[in-house]
Amino acid sequence: MDKTGSSQHLTYTDWTVRETQFDPDRFRSRETVFTIGNGYLGTRGSFEEGFSRALPATFIHGVYDEVPIVYTELANCPDWLPFVVIVDGDRFRFERGEVLSYERQLNLRQGVLSRRVRWRSPNGKTVDIHFERFVSQADEHVLGLRCQLTPVDSESAIEIQASINGYPENQGFNHWELLDQSKIEQGVWLNLCTRSSRIQLGIATKIKVSGTEASLQATNPPGYPTLTASFLASPGQTVTVDKLVTVFTSQEVDNPVAAACEKLAQLPDYSILFDAHAQAWDKIWQNSDIVIEGDVTAQLAVRYNLFQLLIAAPDNNDKVSIPAKTLSGFGYRGHIFWDTEIFILPFFIYTQPKLARNLLTYRYHTLPGARRKAVHYGYKGAMYAWESADTGDEVTPRWLPPNDFYGDDIRIWCRDREIHISADIAYAVWYYWQATDDDEWMRDYGAEIILDTAVFWGSRVEYDNNQERYEIRGVIGADEYHEFVNNNAFTNRMVQWHLEKALKVYEWLRNNFPDKATELEEKLHLTPGRRSRWSDIITNIWIPYDESTGLIEQFEGFFQLQDINLEDYEPRTKSMQAILGIEEGNKRQVLKQPDVLMLLYLMRQSQEPPYSPEALQKNWDYYAPRTDISYGSSLGPAIHGILASDLGNTAEAYERFMQAALVDLEDVRNNAHEGIHGASAGGVWQAVVLGFGGIQIGDNEPVAHPHLPPGWTRLKFKFFWRGKWHEFDLRSAKEIQQKVEVTPLAPSPDIRGFIFDLDGVLTDTAEYHYLAWQRLADEEGLPFNRQANEALRGVSRRDSLMYILGEKQYTEEQIQEMMDRKNRYYVESIQNISPEDLLPGVITLLDELKQAGIKIALGSASKNARPVVEKLGIANRIDAIADGYSVQKPKPAPDLFLYAANQLGLEPAQCVVVEDAEAGVEAALAGGMWTVGLGPASRVGAAHIVLPSLDGVHWTDLRAKLNNVAMQQQ
């Protein structure tokens, strides 16, 4: 099932993201979008040959180094991508020569990024270049890059240079010292060391050329070891160059260079490595995939977000965790926030529990840093850092430079006041334990986390003698627009919840592992008096609540702040804090993200106070309109989507869900260049499974209470609970079974939409298709002619190819290659299409329909329909496009036209389909639509109206004829 993305030249299918037009202004955000990785490292989607606006980066988990202002950051590691192509002396770059065709694709199922370019050099030589890269999921230390080069119009002397760039930068700062480099029999290697943390890195590479004879040589410019291959290639001759790379750091092995070189020497061919990598992804998706039917954009977006989480999760390292921007960008410097435990971790707990265990064990290893922070602030126990890195010490910047040259530095208070993270981590530990029954881990790791952070809360909470209650003053809650508040409801209730669970964990240890309980009693000073204080805090801590209204007050005094109507500030393109300023934002009832609603969401799963459906409704009505959900925090939309769905607000639920799901793919917040929004990606999984799927734990096993969004006909996923996999296959109550027979039409047509086929209706590209198929058939020695081509009208590319192949057997890989080749031939031939290629009568009819208020859609099986429409100059007249990317079943199934009608917001009986193919007419009739057939009656005679063409056809005439047909059917 396929669909064309709605904007920005991205095309979505069930498993792939395609970029069909190069846009240099979006280059850095697309580098993020096309990030690949394997849980050990992540590599941004930069071009192999380089680009002037590029921000290339490869990040390896745990490779931190000191940096001014922000304490420490993930160091940008050596770039393994550089691959220079020189054609008869002209270096291939997008800034030189002419790009004749372009497509980049990320295949989520296999974790592979590919790019096809047809490039004409300044000297007039045309060459097809196909890049493909993967970061092995089967062996995290192995990287693969393949380049296939095919001269198009003349013999070419080609030189390639495959290098390692030992001068990577973190936005101007280089963390690496060059130690050594050299050649080996298999290739070249490089040895570097971070300047402050002294982490060594060894990286090695080799190349293999196939398809021609080539001369190879190695050179060693300082910090830039390079392998060069030179060869001649004839027109149509494809030469393949495989670049294999191995990388290790001193965090895994004592001698990373030796490890890299040894592994490089043992590597099999690229294809074998790729197959192992693809098989590893198959295994991962078996448990983590989510199937959505009826909404291709949502299907792709969900898989995309899950992919980005999976490639950031460490499989073999429990001393690292997933940064807020994953391993995909420089945003937040690779620091870890509460994002991981509250937003990201549930996905792993319930689909990849081993990875969840690794992520939580990181918090155990960083307890010493949390203890140092507690001591620094004068408290006891473990006080987790708001931003954490390798040691667990606080690395949130104390100050940040201003946005303008003359402004004051900005004080960052989160490090001092946003303390709820210690309870958030305990929350994650508890729910991991509940889901997995991993008593061993809880005994050895989790219990100490929960108990020592409980010790911290015991020292942080204050007792107010006048009010006779416990309070927590001077904090920042989940909503960061208010930087100094007392008794934040979210924080206070989470602390209460934390202490409740700490007492339960202590009793569990005492009953089941008394030796461990004694050990922790001594280590953490868990005296009876301390545990008694926890009980007293649980009973007497204040949760701000207005009994008269049923509202939870976000913090003490929130209701006395100046109220605000966010609609008064629309339209806007920036956050309310940016509009109001920090101080003015503090004075108003405006939220950066859910706070009270976030608390209700976290208590929703267990139905613990203050959650109740009534409390949710009252507090939603108050807080949702005051939340800057569009430009505040990316953490908010998914949570709002779930709660809106709970409340039956389906339209807003879906809108917020898609806002989260597309935040990076469509750069919703204009900051995708900084890296993937990891918390939003995790929220997407929660929105689908816990929200739309309605998963709750009943009678000690997960039970679904689904409320699927409109259009979703099926939702399928797996859910892990206490050693058992539960598979859910949820269907919409309104699922409609498509019928093949003709659906009776209403006696009086209420026409509100027209759906036009493209080839043979609006323009005659059939000739271009024929010539492309004929060229392919000739190359493959297959019988084909114009008469055979008539059978391909309205038929999908795959079905057309299968018709041409006849009884001959081919592998799936060969079939895909031939489809791609035919498409390249077709795309080449339509480059010069213009408005002059519109068939007679088209513009007149389109304009008449527009003037009459009729909606217009394109319904074409072609996957090139969108660019053709743009070249024809009629894109502004088309309201919706359904093309070869939109549905799975081709004509004569009605799916394509039904999809188009849905995009127009119309019922099938309100639409007229204009077709020139028998299969298209059959599809329209099966969908219950009116049909106009263009061409001979022998081909389109089943249509309600048959015309030779659109020349001289007017809307008034068509309307009259349709009325006559309707009367005759009565």
Side-chain angles (χ1 to χ4, degrees), residues 344-366:
I344 295 174
L345 198 73
F347 164 63
F348 291 106
I349 289 176
Y350 300 115
T351 72
Q352 300 284 343
K354 176 181 179 292
L355 298 180
R357 178 177 170 141
N358 283 350
L359 295 172
L360 284 171
T361 307
Y362 160 81
R363 292 297 189 180
Y364 175 82
H365 291 307
T366 54

mmCIF file of all heavy atoms in Angstrom, residues 344-366:
data_model
loop_
_atom_site.group_PDB
_atom_site.id
_atom_site.type_symbol
_atom_site.label_atom_id
_atom_site.label_comp_id
_atom_site.label_asym_id
_atom_site.label_seq_id
_atom_site.Cartn_x
_atom_site.Cartn_y
_atom_site.Cartn_z
ATOM 1 N N ILE A 344 9.973 7.214 26.048
ATOM 2 C CA ILE A 344 10.580 6.221 25.153
ATOM 3 C C ILE A 344 10.498 4.808 25.714
ATOM 4 O O ILE A 344 10.190 3.850 24.992
ATOM 5 C CB ILE A 344 12.054 6.597 24.878
ATOM 6 C CG1 ILE A 344 12.129 7.920 24.103
ATOM 7 C CG2 ILE A 344 12.774 5.488 24.151
ATOM 8 C CD1 ILE A 344 13.547 8.450 23.919
ATOM 9 N N LEU A 345 10.761 4.664 27.002
ATOM 10 C CA LEU A 345 10.928 3.342 27.585
ATOM 11 C C LEU A 345 9.725 2.411 27.440
ATOM 12 O O LEU A 345 9.911 1.203 27.227
ATOM 13 C CB LEU A 345 11.319 3.466 29.056
ATOM 14 C CG LEU A 345 11.933 2.189 29.638
ATOM 15 C CD1 LEU A 345 13.339 1.977 29.098
ATOM 16 C CD2 LEU A 345 11.950 2.237 31.164
ATOM 17 N N PRO A 346 8.466 2.898 27.557
ATOM 18 C CA PRO A 346 7.342 1.956 27.425
ATOM 19 C C PRO A 346 7.380 1.121 26.144
ATOM 20 O O PRO A 346 7.055 -0.070 26.172
ATOM 21 C CB PRO A 346 6.119 2.876 27.471
ATOM 22 C CG PRO A 346 6.552 4.005 28.336
ATOM 23 C CD PRO A 346 8.001 4.238 27.971
ATOM 24 N N PHE A 347 7.776 1.724 25.037
ATOM 25 C CA PHE A 347 7.884 0.961 23.789
ATOM 26 C C PHE A 347 8.805 -0.233 23.967
ATOM 27 O O PHE A 347 8.497 -1.354 23.539
ATOM 28 C CB PHE A 347 8.386 1.875 22.669
ATOM 29 C CG PHE A 347 8.895 1.142 21.457
ATOM 30 C CD1 PHE A 347 8.041 0.346 20.706
ATOM 31 C CD2 PHE A 347 10.217 1.245 21.062
ATOM 32 C CE1 PHE A 347 8.506 -0.343 19.583
ATOM 33 C CE2 PHE A 347 10.696 0.578 19.948
ATOM 34 C CZ PHE A 347 9.836 -0.223 19.207
ATOM 35 N N PHE A 348 9.953 -0.026 24.613
ATOM 36 C CA PHE A 348 10.908 -1.117 24.790
ATOM 37 C C PHE A 348 10.454 -2.104 25.863
ATOM 38 O O PHE A 348 10.666 -3.313 25.719
ATOM 39 C CB PHE A 348 12.285 -0.542 25.127
ATOM 40 C CG PHE A 348 12.919 0.190 23.988
ATOM 41 C CD1 PHE A 348 12.996 1.572 23.973
ATOM 42 C CD2 PHE A 348 13.422 -0.505 22.899
ATOM 43 C CE1 PHE A 348 13.569 2.251 22.920
ATOM 44 C CE2 PHE A 348 13.997 0.161 21.831
ATOM 45 C CZ PHE A 348 14.069 1.548 21.836
ATOM 46 N N ILE A 349 9.833 -1.627 26.919
ATOM 47 C CA ILE A 349 9.360 -2.532 27.961
ATOM 48 C C ILE A 349 8.425 -3.574 27.376
ATOM 49 O O ILE A 349 8.520 -4.771 27.690
ATOM 50 C CB ILE A 349 8.639 -1.741 29.076
ATOM 51 C CG1 ILE A 349 9.645 -0.928 29.904
ATOM 52 C CG2 ILE A 349 7.858 -2.684 29.986
ATOM 53 C CD1 ILE A 349 9.002 -0.050 30.963
ATOM 54 N N TYR A 350 7.528 -3.135 26.492
ATOM 55 C CA TYR A 350 6.462 -4.012 26.020
ATOM 56 C C TYR A 350 6.744 -4.658 24.668
ATOM 57 O O TYR A 350 5.925 -5.438 24.177
ATOM 58 C CB TYR A 350 5.147 -3.241 25.975
ATOM 59 C CG TYR A 350 4.733 -2.707 27.334
ATOM 60 C CD1 TYR A 350 4.659 -1.345 27.569
ATOM 61 C CD2 TYR A 350 4.446 -3.572 28.384
ATOM 62 C CE1 TYR A 350 4.304 -0.845 28.825
ATOM 63 C CE2 TYR A 350 4.087 -3.091 29.635
ATOM 64 C CZ TYR A 350 4.025 -1.726 29.850
ATOM 65 O OH TYR A 350 3.672 -1.246 31.097
ATOM 66 N N THR A 351 7.894 -4.349 24.043
ATOM 67 C CA THR A 351 8.236 -5.026 22.781
ATOM 68 C C THR A 351 9.673 -5.539 22.747
ATOM 69 O O THR A 351 9.947 -6.522 22.058
ATOM 70 C CB THR A 351 8.029 -4.106 21.561
ATOM 71 O OG1 THR A 351 9.044 -3.100 21.518
ATOM 72 C CG2 THR A 351 6.656 -3.454 21.582
ATOM 73 N N GLN A 352 10.598 -4.887 23.460
ATOM 74 C CA GLN A 352 12.003 -5.303 23.473
ATOM 75 C C GLN A 352 12.525 -5.187 24.904
ATOM 76 O O GLN A 352 13.353 -4.322 25.224
ATOM 77 C CB GLN A 352 12.839 -4.411 22.533
ATOM 78 C CG GLN A 352 12.426 -4.434 21.089
ATOM 79 C CD GLN A 352 12.858 -5.692 20.373
ATOM 80 O OE1 GLN A 352 13.734 -6.422 20.853
ATOM 81 N NE2 GLN A 352 12.274 -5.971 19.213
ATOM 82 N N PRO A 353 12.060 -6.046 25.816
ATOM 83 C CA PRO A 353 12.402 -5.880 27.234
ATOM 84 C C PRO A 353 13.892 -5.941 27.541
ATOM 85 O O PRO A 353 14.345 -5.313 28.504
ATOM 86 C CB PRO A 353 11.635 -7.023 27.922
ATOM 87 C CG PRO A 353 11.259 -7.973 26.830
ATOM 88 C CD PRO A 353 11.119 -7.166 25.587
ATOM 89 N N LYS A 354 14.668 -6.653 26.731
ATOM 90 C CA LYS A 354 16.115 -6.677 26.957
ATOM 91 C C LYS A 354 16.710 -5.280 26.792
ATOM 92 O O LYS A 354 17.576 -4.854 27.564
ATOM 93 C CB LYS A 354 16.785 -7.647 25.994
ATOM 94 C CG LYS A 354 18.304 -7.674 26.088
ATOM 95 C CD LYS A 354 18.911 -8.632 25.081
ATOM 96 C CE LYS A 354 20.439 -8.640 25.155
ATOM 97 N NZ LYS A 354 21.021 -7.355 24.705
ATOM 98 N N LEU A 355 16.258 -4.560 25.784
ATOM 99 C CA LEU A 355 16.747 -3.202 25.573
ATOM 100 C C LEU A 355 16.274 -2.282 26.691
ATOM 101 O O LEU A 355 17.011 -1.388 27.128
ATOM 102 C CB LEU A 355 16.283 -2.677 24.213
ATOM 103 C CG LEU A 355 16.787 -3.451 22.987
ATOM 104 C CD1 LEU A 355 16.255 -2.823 21.704
ATOM 105 C CD2 LEU A 355 18.307 -3.493 22.958
ATOM 106 N N ALA A 356 15.041 -2.496 27.147
ATOM 107 C CA ALA A 356 14.544 -1.692 28.268
ATOM 108 C C ALA A 356 15.411 -1.905 29.501
ATOM 109 O O ALA A 356 15.736 -0.955 30.233
ATOM 110 C CB ALA A 356 13.093 -2.062 28.566
ATOM 111 N N ARG A 357 15.797 -3.132 29.729
ATOM 112 C CA ARG A 357 16.656 -3.438 30.882
ATOM 113 C C ARG A 357 17.986 -2.698 30.766
ATOM 114 O O ARG A 357 18.487 -2.137 31.755
ATOM 115 C CB ARG A 357 16.879 -4.949 30.951
ATOM 116 C CG ARG A 357 17.802 -5.397 32.072
ATOM 117 C CD ARG A 357 17.896 -6.915 32.116
ATOM 118 N NE ARG A 357 18.950 -7.345 33.038
ATOM 119 C CZ ARG A 357 18.857 -8.380 33.845
ATOM 120 N NH1 ARG A 357 17.748 -9.094 33.884
ATOM 121 N NH2 ARG A 357 19.854 -8.722 34.636
ATOM 122 N N ASN A 358 18.579 -2.695 29.578
ATOM 123 C CA ASN A 358 19.832 -1.957 29.382
ATOM 124 C C ASN A 358 19.666 -0.476 29.712
ATOM 125 O O ASN A 358 20.508 0.136 30.378
ATOM 126 C CB ASN A 358 20.312 -2.101 27.943
ATOM 127 C CG ASN A 358 20.962 -3.444 27.672
ATOM 128 O OD1 ASN A 358 21.230 -4.207 28.596
ATOM 129 N ND2 ASN A 358 21.198 -3.741 26.413
ATOM 130 N N LEU A 359 18.578 0.115 29.207
ATOM 131 C CA LEU A 359 18.371 1.549 29.416
ATOM 132 C C LEU A 359 18.201 1.876 30.896
ATOM 133 O O LEU A 359 18.697 2.909 31.371
ATOM 134 C CB LEU A 359 17.143 2.006 28.630
ATOM 135 C CG LEU A 359 17.259 1.917 27.103
ATOM 136 C CD1 LEU A 359 15.913 2.199 26.449
ATOM 137 C CD2 LEU A 359 18.311 2.887 26.582
ATOM 138 N N LEU A 360 17.514 1.041 31.629
ATOM 139 C CA LEU A 360 17.331 1.291 33.055
ATOM 140 C C LEU A 360 18.599 1.008 33.852
ATOM 141 O O LEU A 360 18.877 1.681 34.853
ATOM 142 C CB LEU A 360 16.177 0.452 33.581
ATOM 143 C CG LEU A 360 14.789 0.959 33.203
ATOM 144 C CD1 LEU A 360 13.724 -0.056 33.588
ATOM 145 C CD2 LEU A 360 14.503 2.301 33.867
ATOM 146 N N THR A 361 19.381 0.024 33.413
ATOM 147 C CA THR A 361 20.631 -0.277 34.118
ATOM 148 C C THR A 361 21.596 0.894 34.014
ATOM 149 O O THR A 361 22.411 1.112 34.922
ATOM 150 C CB THR A 361 21.256 -1.570 33.573
ATOM 151 O OG1 THR A 361 20.292 -2.622 33.612
ATOM 152 C CG2 THR A 361 22.464 -1.987 34.397
ATOM 153 N N TYR A 362 21.501 1.654 32.935
ATOM 154 C CA TYR A 362 22.286 2.894 32.837
ATOM 155 C C TYR A 362 22.039 3.778 34.054
ATOM 156 O O TYR A 362 22.975 4.375 34.616
ATOM 157 C CB TYR A 362 21.919 3.635 31.554
ATOM 158 C CG TYR A 362 22.276 5.109 31.559
ATOM 159 C CD1 TYR A 362 23.574 5.532 31.284
ATOM 160 C CD2 TYR A 362 21.316 6.076 31.857
ATOM 161 C CE1 TYR A 362 23.906 6.879 31.296
ATOM 162 C CE2 TYR A 362 21.632 7.421 31.869
ATOM 163 C CZ TYR A 362 22.925 7.825 31.592
ATOM 164 O OH TYR A 362 23.254 9.167 31.625
ATOM 165 N N ARG A 363 20.793 3.875 34.487
ATOM 166 C CA ARG A 363 20.483 4.717 35.642
ATOM 167 C C ARG A 363 21.103 4.142 36.923
ATOM 168 O O ARG A 363 21.437 4.890 37.847
ATOM 169 C CB ARG A 363 18.976 4.873 35.789
ATOM 170 C CG ARG A 363 18.317 5.688 34.690
ATOM 171 C CD ARG A 363 18.806 7.128 34.656
ATOM 172 N NE ARG A 363 17.998 7.945 33.730
ATOM 173 C CZ ARG A 363 18.215 9.244 33.507
ATOM 174 N NH1 ARG A 363 19.218 9.866 34.098
ATOM 175 N NH2 ARG A 363 17.435 9.899 32.673
ATOM 176 N N TYR A 364 21.257 2.836 36.977
ATOM 177 C CA TYR A 364 21.940 2.251 38.131
ATOM 178 C C TYR A 364 23.419 2.640 38.124
ATOM 179 O O TYR A 364 23.984 3.029 39.156
ATOM 180 C CB TYR A 364 21.789 0.732 38.125
ATOM 181 C CG TYR A 364 22.570 0.055 39.233
ATOM 182 C CD1 TYR A 364 22.046 -0.018 40.519
ATOM 183 C CD2 TYR A 364 23.829 -0.489 38.991
ATOM 184 C CE1 TYR A 364 22.756 -0.623 41.545
ATOM 185 C CE2 TYR A 364 24.548 -1.093 40.008
ATOM 186 C CZ TYR A 364 24.017 -1.155 41.286
ATOM 187 O OH TYR A 364 24.733 -1.743 42.295
ATOM 188 N N HIS A 365 24.047 2.528 36.957
ATOM 189 C CA HIS A 365 25.469 2.856 36.859
ATOM 190 C C HIS A 365 25.737 4.337 37.128
ATOM 191 O O HIS A 365 26.870 4.696 37.485
ATOM 192 C CB HIS A 365 26.005 2.475 35.478
ATOM 193 C CG HIS A 365 26.075 1.004 35.240
ATOM 194 N ND1 HIS A 365 26.718 0.131 36.086
ATOM 195 C CD2 HIS A 365 25.574 0.222 34.233
ATOM 196 C CE1 HIS A 365 26.618 -1.104 35.624
ATOM 197 N NE2 HIS A 365 25.931 -1.080 34.506
ATOM 198 N N THR A 366 24.741 5.178 36.946
ATOM 199 C CA THR A 366 24.944 6.618 37.165
ATOM 200 C C THR A 366 24.451 7.071 38.540
ATOM 201 O O THR A 366 24.374 8.270 38.804
ATOM 202 C CB THR A 366 24.245 7.434 36.062
ATOM 203 O OG1 THR A 366 22.859 7.060 35.983
ATOM 204 C CG2 THR A 366 24.909 7.202 34.712
#
